[in-house]
Amino acid sequence: MAYYVGVDLGATNVRAVVGDDDGVVLGRAHDATPQGPTGIAVTEAVLRVVREACADAGVDPEAVVAAGVGSIGPLDLAAGAVERPANLPDTIDRVPLTGPLSKLLGTERVTLHNDTAAGVVGERFFAERTPDDMVYLTISSGIGAGVAVDGHVLSGWDGNAGEVGHMVVDPEGELTCGCGREGHWEGYCSGTNVPRYARHLHDAEWETDLPIDAPGLSAADVFEAAGDDAFADHVVERLGHWNAVGVANVVHAYAPLVVYVGGAVALNNPDLVLDPIRERLPDLVITNVPEVELTTLGDDAVVKGALASAVIRGTGDRNRRGRS
Ligand SMILES: [Zn+2]
């Protein structure tokens, strides 16, 4: 049997799976992403988790035919590395990935994608409905999209297509994004920015039981309070507005038939996040209004997308479909 490896390198966790050529997962492992001291520590964690996933599957790493990696960016595709990752501490300058993985697995067939591109590869491979025009959108600690147009997954220069979280949705630019620019979608709606946005919206006229000034206020607190707390409802309503504007921009650019949404914020609050987008989209979109669905792959969207990428690379069959 042929074996394949998928890796999801996120800002919080590193995950790896080993699968067969139907994409069936045979073994897996994960660990926290090291927050330093340098990028090499992150590379070493990736290699360790891949070895553990191979051990879990009872597979010799050298028996692996191909590997895929879905990673936080920005990427340096030519070097097969992450370059100064935006969501990790500044001391992490460069994280080499494809070279060290090729060495560990004894194969040159190691493909690096940004995480959302891996997500859309996975949706096309595993989901029941897999049209040629689709989007995988993640709403997590960041916001980004992987896009398939006419059956091609868009990669862009250096693999950095789909940074839709940095689209301006608010030209008045009330809030500054983590990237330093104003009015970006991610600056309002990503998991890290929801509490900041709640503080921004809060004023003396709102009574709320949310610990609005507590440093530990989280996106989960805001969504949990919705339904019982009028201010939390107001925040969720505003988030729905910006998310719908962001998705409408993506729809006008790429004309997808389906938008699959993943990422912790969406996975933990599917109705509160997706329903407002579904409700508003018909009024915002002048072209075909796509279906907006929660990803069918849950937390595994990126790691299984990376696995699907490896299977496609290893078998050379772009149109094959997996079994989830
Ligand atoms: Zn930004």
Side-chain angles (χ1 to χ4, degrees):
M1 201 197 294
Y3 300 105
Y4 305 86
V5 162
V7 177
D8 170 5
L9 172 57
T12 319
N13 290 298
V14 184
R15 299 139 64 85
V17 295
V18 176
D20 64 15
D21 50 18
D22 284 324
V24 174
V25 172
L26 308 169
R28 58 168 68 226
H30 66 94
D31 203 351
T33 304
Q35 303 294 304
T38 64
I40 299 300
V42 180
T43 302
E44 283 168 356
V46 169
L47 297 177
R48 187 172 65 244
V49 168
V50 168
R51 270 191 226 103
E52 286 169 11
C54 287
D56 188 44
V59 169
D60 180 349
E62 299 243 331
V64 170
V65 171
V69 183
S71 174
I72 50 171
L75 305 180
D76 178 345
L77 268 197
V82 185
E83 193 65 51
R84 300 195 167 279
N87 294 324
L88 286 175
D90 288 346
T91 56
I92 296 182
D93 44 357
R94 187 178 182 78
V95 183
L97 289 169
T98 56
L101 277 167
S102 285
K103 215 170 155 195
L104 172 68
L105 302 171
T107 173
E108 291 297 309
R109 287 187 280 189
V110 180
T111 309
L112 177 61
H113 303 275
N114 76 41
D115 43 13
T116 52
V120 79
V121 171
E123 293 295 350
R124 293 199 74 227
F125 191 82
F126 290 108
E128 244 164 58
R129 182 152 186 224
T130 52
D132 282 345
D133 301 290
M134 62 189 293
V135 167
Y136 170 77
L137 174 73
T138 181
I139 307 179
S140 184
S141 46
I143 292 178
V147 180
V149 176
D150 302 337
H152 299 285
V153 173
L154 303 186
S155 171
W157 178 250
D158 260 357
N160 292 315
E163 290 280 4
V164 300
H166 302 283
M167 281 179 169
V168 174
V169 290
D170 177 13
E172 304 299 323
E174 283 181 57
L175 283 187
T176 304
C177 182
C179 72
R181 311 276 161 83
E182 285 164 4
H184 290 183
W185 180 6
E186 181 173 311
Y188 296 72
C189 299
S190 73
T192 23
N193 286 315
V194 167
R196 217 166 56 100
Y197 186 40
R199 282 189 198 104
H200 176 79
L201 287 173
H202 189 253
D203 61 30
E205 296 191 7
W206 283 105
E207 276 186 33
T208 178
D209 289 333
L210 281 174
I212 204 79
D213 292 319
L217 179 71
S218 67
D221 296 333
V222 174
F223 283 104
E224 249 166 52
D228 300 319
D229 186 292
F231 175 68
D233 289 340
H234 175 60
V235 177
V236 168
E237 191 274 330
R238 294 317 294 159
L239 293 172
H241 169 75
W242 298 123
N243 279 331
V245 170
V247 172
N249 288 343
V250 172
V251 171
H252 286 142
Y254 302 114
L257 278 173
V258 187
V259 177
Y260 285 107
V261 188
V265 175
L267 289 169
N268 294 334
N269 315 283
D271 298 339
L272 289 174
V273 172
L274 298 191
D275 284 347
I277 300 172
R278 293 181 182 125
E279 283 158 18
R280 286 167 166 84
L281 224 42
D283 290 331
L284 295 172
V285 167
I286 64 156
T287 49
N288 176 64
V289 177
E291 284 177 44
V292 177
E293 302 289 345
L294 196 66
T295 172
T296 54
L297 301 175
D299 277 346
D300 278 348
V302 174
V303 77
K304 291 190 79 170
L307 174 65
S309 157
V311 173
I312 293 165
R313 176 104 186 253
T315 58
D317 183 355
R318 290 166 50 113
N319 295 315
R320 61 181 292 118
R321 294 277 183 255
R323 291 187 285 129
S324 50

